[in-house]
Amino acid sequence: GRRTQLLKGLPATSTVEENAAAGVSVYTFNVTVSPLSSEGVAILPTIVNSNPLTEAFDIESKGDLEYRVVTTGNPVLDYETMPKSFDLQIFVEDTTGRSDLNILTVQVTDKNERPVFRGNMAIQTVTIYVLEGTPPECIYQVDAADPENAELKYSLLPAPVPFLVLESGAIFSTKEFDYEKDPHCYFLNITVTDPDGLNSTKTVNINIININDERPYFTTKQRIYRIPEEQSPGTVVANITAKDPDDEDSPSRLFYSIQSSDRYFSINPSTGVLQVTGRINRDALPLRLHPNISLIVRVEDSPSSSHASEMEITIIVDDINDNPPECNPSTFRIEANENTIAGTFLLDLRNYCKDIDVDPSNNQFNFTGLSGFGSNNFALESTVSGRLVMTESIDLENPANLGAEVYSLTVRVQDIACPNYSSKYPFYTSFDIFLCYIIYIYIRIKPVNEFFPVFSNSSYEFNVPEITKVGSSIGRVNARDKDWSPSVITYSIVAGGGTKDYTNIFWISPTKGDVKILARLDYETTQKHILTVQASDQEKTATASVTVNVLEVNDEEPVCSPNFYSFQIPVSLAVGTNINGFRIECQDRDSDPRSFRYIINEGNVNNHFTFSPSAGSNTSRLILASRFDYDSGLDTNWIYRLHVYITDDNLLSARDRTTDIIKTGTVTLSIRVIPNPTTVITTTPGFTVVTKMENLYSESAWYVPFVITLGSLLLLGLLGYLGFLLAMWVRTCCPPAGKAGDSLLLLPTQLIHRIHFTFCLSSQTMTKLNTVFDGEARDPVTGKIYEFNTHSGARRWKKSNEPLQPALAMQVTSSATDNSGQGTDRAGAPSKKEPSEKRKELTAETKPAAKP
């Protein structure tokens, strides 16, 4: 287009103040258009270029072809950092194609600005921390600047504060602060001013930091405490408190400790609670002589600090009547014959009781309250002496008598002074307002044995299923003796109950008469066992017959041969073929041959295999039930591992199968399918079947070698341990041979399965402890008669036609609980009381009757 004077008022020069906001008018001009231009301006006035380049200006229309140049505010004009003058090239064009380009020079004028803070003070309120005790020094440097680079002045408010600010902007403290006395925080208003009086203000927070410079002090005034002895652990004695001047605004975090070595008390390091930790026994040394305990308590404001205080407190232990009279023993067992006359002295309790309290007023006691079963037959001479005497003669055969062999008496022993016992004596019982020590006295009246034990039945019959668990009770026998209570009678099996594998597969409880099985019963081996059971009252015996009928139960699994087989078959084998002529044959000791069913449980993919017959026979053949089809992809497995289950429930109804016991045998078959050859051979068609037996290892059976190895190691260890025990037993029971004499035979020892061994070489003789064999008895296993010495326990088989040697006189004294017959019920374990019981039995036989 043609250039024409369209911009009226340009070129021109204008000014604008720095920091002018957006939209401030800089200059106004008009646009003159041709009369031929009916539509006015085609291209509005536009700043097409500037020197230097800037976007700080723009052109706005005021209407009627009047325009003005304004500031955009982006960027903000700054006299100090930006150019002082800008040349703006303004272009315009009307609709006729005429255009004009002129320059507007804009000069930026300077304006006095407020000083500005720099650094942290420009963006936030600065907080300064000053440690207490710090001498006066510079604590902060204020950084401020004036946009016009004028010299600045600093000041602070409020004036009466221990701080000042220098002309350089450095803030100084003017004193050494004490956190416990001075304010903890100061707020300073820092003002910076330029020469024209413009200023800026920022706030500075100054916090005084507390340091640990004070020693804690005790606030507890009490120094002497009194407590009774025998206080339980955890009992609070005192609450020691202290204060730290450094912690005036918050609870003090102090640490308490006991400096002196003390076993009775401890202090909570955090709370200062002093409590009992050990037993405080006033009647034992050293408190028996010195009942006052002194403690040095220390308080610190930190575990590693040197600021600490100590104080001494004294704890006085007061004596109480905490020791009751005690008797050792507290249980007495004495014996008296049933014909003991009235007035006979039995026991002096004073000789066995004492009270360890030091104070004489606390160690006096008496004996009272004789009570218990049959107490009317006994009495105490006085409460002080504690002498027990019999008041009436006891005849066990007299119907008017209580008929008891053991009389249980109790005597109360209690302090005369009011007691104060602690929970350390749980055996005390409450009586009136006192607690007392109880003495138990058991008096056994020895009877004369006149009657034999009598079984409730002359014979017993028990029906036992063969699958009964080992250790189960199958029945009970019962016997009574008029001379004794049922607890005295002991039971034993003297004959019967053995098999070819076990000497005796039955055991009887010596005290209860329960018959239990020690080994598994087998109907197929033995259908009936006949036992001879003996009841003994330690002197006299009786026997009864026990018949055990073994009931048949389906407890045997089918056993098939072979139980594993591996072979190969051609892929073209005809349906219905007995595969390789394979046949399994099964047996079951307790099932009919027609009771078998054959089920392929796993591995029969696409049901190619079956057994014929599938049930009702103890033999069955493996049949190919369907052709292999690998061409169409129906079959993909070339190796089949069949798991065949053989059950013995074929003759049972569907209802009986849900309730009866069913056993299952297992057979594993490995079948490899051989594909047809790819090359056609022009010979007589045929094939060769190769049967190959393999021992295949399945990854799922990883535990088999592990279990075998572990079991072998355990077996070797067990054999070694048994060998060690055997050597120790031989060394103990077979001492070196002494002088020549009759060799002593060791009786068989009854173990769990009553397996009997005889140890000691025939060439070795035992040292004779006592050559007088004053007793004899029958061995319950072999039935032979053996002799024994009642003092040494030595035994030997009795020679035929050899008379019994004279017996030594002896008296058997036993408490009621020793003769109560409470033996253990462990199956197969010989009773430890058996030798003493047999000695008493034989002694009783050689002594004359005690009763007239």
Side-chain angles (χ1 to χ4, degrees), residues 587-604:
Q587 296 180 349
D588 192 329
R589 296 177 60 190
D590 55 12
S591 298
D592 191 276
R594 298 173 300 165
S595 63
F596 297 121
R597 288 196 305 127
Y598 303 88
I599 304 169
I600 301 177
N601 186 59
E602 296 179 12
N604 192 11

Side-chain angles (χ1 to χ4, degrees), residues 125-128 139 155-163 171 177 183-191 201-208:
T125 299
V126 173
T127 301
I128 302 172
I139 61 173
S155 62
L156 62 81
L157 290 176
V161 291
F163 301 95
I171 302 176
F177 295 95
H184 300 166
C185 183
Y186 297 89
F187 298 95
L188 306 181
N189 293 323
I190 307 299
T191 302
T201 301
K202 286 285 187 177
T203 300
V204 175
N205 297 339
I206 300 178
N207 293 333
I208 307 303

Side-chain angles (χ1 to χ4, degrees), residues 21 33 36 96 167 170 206 254 278 336 408 442 446 452 488 497 503 524 655:
V33 297
L36 300 177
T96 62
E167 293 182 357
I206 300 178
L254 303 176
S408 300
Y442 299 96
K446 294 187 293 185
F452 283 86
V488 176
T503 304
E524 288 72 25
R655 179 177 181 181

Side-chain angles (χ1 to χ4, degrees), residues 336-442:
N337 293 327
E338 58 178 327
N339 55 359
T340 300
I341 62 175
T344 301
F345 165 75
L346 299 177
L347 180 65
D348 189 351
L349 298 176
R350 174 64 67 172
N351 295 335
Y352 303 95
C353 300
K354 64 179 181 178
D355 191 326
I356 65 173
D357 279 319
V358 178
D359 192 340
S361 64
N362 293 333
N363 60 19
Q364 301 299 319
F365 57 91
N366 54 24
F367 301 90
T368 59
L370 176 64
S371 62
F373 180 73
S375 59
N376 58 328
N377 296 312
F378 309 91
L380 292 171
E381 287 185 350
S382 68
T383 60
V384 177
S385 67
R387 289 174 55 88
L388 181 67
V389 296
M390 181 174 285
T391 58
E392 295 182 11
S393 179
I394 299 176
D395 185 3
L396 296 180
E397 284 72 32
N398 187 354
N401 194 279
L402 295 176
E405 297 182 16
V406 178
Y407 292 85
S408 300
L409 308 179
T410 59
V411 177
R412 290 187 291 110
V413 186
Q414 64 185 41
D415 269 319
I416 297 176
C418 182
N420 188 6
Y421 305 150
S422 67
S423 59
K424 65 179 180 178
Y425 300 106
F427 44 79
Y428 284 94
T429 60
S430 176
F431 183 82
D432 296 333
I433 61 172
F434 295 100
L435 294 173
C436 58
Y437 191 96
I438 303 299
I439 295 178
Y440 298 91
I441 305 174
Y442 299 96

